[in-house]
Amino acid sequence: MGGARDVGWVAAGLILAAGACYCFYKLTRGRRRGGRRLRLRPSRSAEDLTSGSYDDTLNAEQVQKLLYLLESTEDPIIIERALVTLGNNAAFSANQIVIRELGGIPIVGSKINNPNQSIKEKALNALNNLSVNVENQIKIKVQVLKLLLNLSENPAMTDQLLDAQVDSSFLSLLDGHVPKEILLRALTLLQNITDCLSEERRLATQTAFPAGSLFSLLYGKECAQKMKALVHHHDADVKEKVTMIPKFW
């Protein structure tokens, strides 16, 4: 793996995770973003729903047809069109709920592992729109972290990951109040990256990564402070995982 397009969607995944944290920060403080006004369509076949521009919302039956289509077809053109339609409709607050309740988040999330780069991007866009809903965010961070964990296990991807531009809110994944499943995945991601980057190489390449990159974020003071705070976390699994990342001590 490599190249400009790979770096682009890796960065998009990281930014999505950070964006979900930021949305959670805003929404839990009562600053909810308003949904768009609903305008329901008459029922259509699943493939017909992918063949146009949709500026209004689909009903639950139509969303279910699209999700079934995503699971049942291997045609990349149909998959991409279905993701575009779902992504557009995920801008509606009602459909953010409908898609989650119909089990759509893992279905959409599974497409970020598709070898087709355009499908990856459309899936990430749909997840980004879905992340505006506060109850969707836990499921979506989990989905993005699964992808990033897979990438972080490959030493050939280390530089691309570390070079990705990431908002500082990404470090919210290391806050002590984050749900255990997400916190452990975030710590494992950090462990994988540090394991792939030797201390000698880290010092040698420190100036190669720009400000605002994942490298500058993970090896900055704020991240170190968060890691030291997690040593005192109430959960034993979290504390054990933190001690397994010795480069911070």
Side-chain angles (χ1 to χ4, degrees), residues 58-67 86 95 98-99 102:
L58 302 176
N59 59 39
E61 179 186 357
Q62 292 166 334
V63 171
Q64 192 165 37
K65 286 179 180 179
L66 279 178
L67 293 174
L86 283 170
N95 268 357
V98 169
I99 292 171
L102 291 175

Side-chain angles (χ1 to χ4, degrees), residues 17 20-21 23-24 28 100 105-106 127 130-146 173 177-183 185:
C21 293
C23 286
F24 182 79
T28 53
R100 180 187 73 243
I105 290 176
L127 289 174
L130 286 165
S131 72
V132 173
N133 181 282
V134 102
E135 293 185 40
N136 289 350
Q137 288 166 17
I138 299 299
K139 292 180 179 293
I140 293 172
K141 284 184 245 172
V142 171
Q143 291 296 322
V144 172
L145 283 172
K146 284 180 180 178
L173 292 171
H177 61 76
V178 168
K180 178 181 176 179
E181 180 184 12
I182 293 177
L183 183 53
R185 288 181 186 275

Side-chain angles (χ1 to χ4, degrees), residues 95-245:
N95 268 357
Q96 293 160 8
I97 298 170
V98 169
I99 292 171
R100 180 187 73 243
E101 291 181 344
L102 291 175
I105 290 176
I107 294 173
V108 174
S110 69
K111 301 307 175 186
I112 58 182
N113 289 318
N114 193 288
N116 185 306
Q117 301 298 331
S118 183
I119 288 176
K120 293 180 195 290
E121 292 166 2
K122 300 302 187 298
L124 285 167
N125 180 67
L127 289 174
N128 189 42
N129 288 343
L130 286 165
S131 72
V132 173
N133 181 282
V134 102
E135 293 185 40
N136 289 350
Q137 288 166 17
I138 299 299
K139 292 180 179 293
I140 293 172
K141 284 184 245 172
V142 171
Q143 291 296 322
V144 172
L145 283 172
K146 284 180 180 178
L147 169 64
L148 295 177
L149 282 175
N150 289 338
L151 294 175
S152 68
E153 291 172 355
N154 180 0
M157 284 300 300
T158 302
D159 284 353
Q160 286 94 328
L161 284 167
L162 291 173
D163 193 54
Q165 289 291 302
V166 186
D167 189 90
S168 60
S169 60
F170 183 79
L171 289 181
S172 297
L173 292 171
L174 297 177
D175 286 346
H177 61 76
V178 168
K180 178 181 176 179
E181 180 184 12
I182 293 177
L183 183 53
L184 286 175
R185 288 181 186 275
L187 288 170
T188 302
L189 171 65
L190 184 54
Q191 181 184 9
N192 289 347
I193 290 175
T194 54
D195 285 348
C196 290
L197 194 67
S198 67
E199 182 67 14
E200 293 77 12
R201 183 163 170 249
R202 181 180 73 81
L203 293 173
T205 61
Q206 188 166 359
T207 58
F209 297 104
S213 66
L214 182 63
F215 180 93
S216 64
L217 204 64
L218 295 184
Y219 289 95
K221 292 182 179 179
E222 184 179 356
C223 185
Q225 290 171 351
K226 287 180 178 290
M227 293 294 289
K228 289 176 181 177
L230 288 175
V231 171
H232 307 290
H233 196 273
H234 62 85
D235 186 272
D237 292 335
V238 171
K239 288 192 287 188
E240 180 181 4
K241 176 62 72 173
V242 171
T243 61
M244 293 171 66
I245 311 177

Side-chain angles (χ1 to χ4, degrees), residues 25-98:
Y25 174 85
K26 291 195 301 181
L27 291 171
T28 53
R29 284 157 178 77
R31 297 176 59 187
R32 295 184 178 271
R33 193 168 98 183
R36 294 163 65 183
R37 188 169 56 87
L38 304 184
R39 191 157 46 116
L40 296 178
R41 290 180 175 274
S43 181
R44 297 185 178 186
S45 68
E47 290 194 26
D48 184 43
L49 293 171
T50 70
S51 62
S53 176
Y54 295 90
D55 293 325
D56 49 85
T57 193
L58 302 176
N59 59 39
E61 179 186 357
Q62 292 166 334
V63 171
Q64 192 165 37
K65 286 179 180 179
L66 279 178
L67 293 174
Y68 175 77
L69 187 63
L70 274 178
E71 286 190 297
S72 61
T73 186
E74 296 183 0
D75 187 326
I77 295 176
I78 294 177
I79 292 173
E80 186 172 348
R81 288 176 176 174
L83 287 170
V84 168
T85 303
L86 283 170
N88 289 343
N89 277 265
F92 297 96
S93 56
N95 268 357
Q96 293 160 8
I97 298 170
V98 169

